[in-house]
Amino acid sequence: MTVDELDTRILRLLLEQPRTSVREYARILGVARGTVQARLDRLERDGVITGTGPALSPAALGHPVLAFVHIEVTQGHLDDVGDALAEVPEIVEAFSITGGGDLLTRVVARDNAHLEDVIQKLISLPGVVRTRTEVALRERVPHRLLPLVESIGRTVRK
């Protein structure tokens, strides 16, 4: 799918002003409301826009500890372990990876003792061989996509 300059301007507005109406986006961009809505619909249909819900803070929800847990899985059990991970509420993301391990999970916890309990739960899952945990100390670059959108927009204009 190609993203043109108007698409990148719309995406920038969505990221910077997510609670603004389509009508207001159209006014800001100087285009018809129908044009903005059609672009948004296409961006959703093509998988560029994947959600519209609020971004939540695990720390504000009482889970300030963030860890990345690498999981090594018995061959042939990757799908089973992945399904089991989906049942653990403290796992907020999980990815199949290459390198040292088979899965990388992002885990949140109330405190270090709770993190240990979650890790023990993971170790006990059928198919899990071992885990390796890295605790995040401080977020240096928060999750962001605006610089990528702006970079794509610069590429489109050239």
Side-chain angles (χ1 to χ4, degrees), residues 32-34 39 103 116 123 139:
R33 188 200 63 77
R39 294 293 184 109
L103 294 164
E116 181 181 8
I123 291 170
E139 182 177 67

Side-chain angles (χ1 to χ4, degrees), residues 12-67:
R12 179 185 181 95
L13 282 173
L14 279 174
L15 293 169
E16 291 179 337
Q17 303 175 37
R19 298 182 74 171
T20 302
S21 70
V22 173
R23 180 177 303 217
E24 182 63 11
Y25 290 149
R27 188 193 66 72
I28 293 168
L29 295 168
V31 298
R33 188 200 63 77
T35 300
V36 174
Q37 187 62 61
R39 294 293 184 109
L40 289 170
D41 292 344
R42 181 178 52 81
L43 290 166
E44 285 183 31
R45 187 177 54 253
D46 291 347
V48 174
I49 298 173
T50 59
T52 57
L56 304 177
S57 165
L61 291 169
H63 289 67
V65 176
L66 170 63

Side-chain angles (χ1 to χ4, degrees), residues 60-112:
L61 291 169
H63 289 67
V65 176
L66 170 63
F68 299 93
V69 180
H70 298 257
I71 302 173
E72 187 177 323
V73 177
T74 304
Q75 277 193 322
H77 290 85
L78 192 60
D79 289 339
D80 297 333
V81 172
D83 292 344
L85 294 177
E87 301 300 318
V88 180
E90 294 86 358
I91 294 180
V92 295
E93 289 183 297
F95 301 92
S96 299
I97 60 169
T98 63
D102 300 300
L103 294 164
L104 175 63
T105 63
R106 186 170 155 211
V107 178
V108 295
R110 293 184 302 273
D111 52 35
N112 287 345

Side-chain angles (χ1 to χ4, degrees), residues 8 145-158:
T8 60
L145 291 173
L146 184 56
L148 176 63
V149 169
E150 290 174 336
S151 172
I152 292 167
R154 283 191 298 274
T155 304
V156 167
R157 282 183 236 131
K158 290 183 181 180

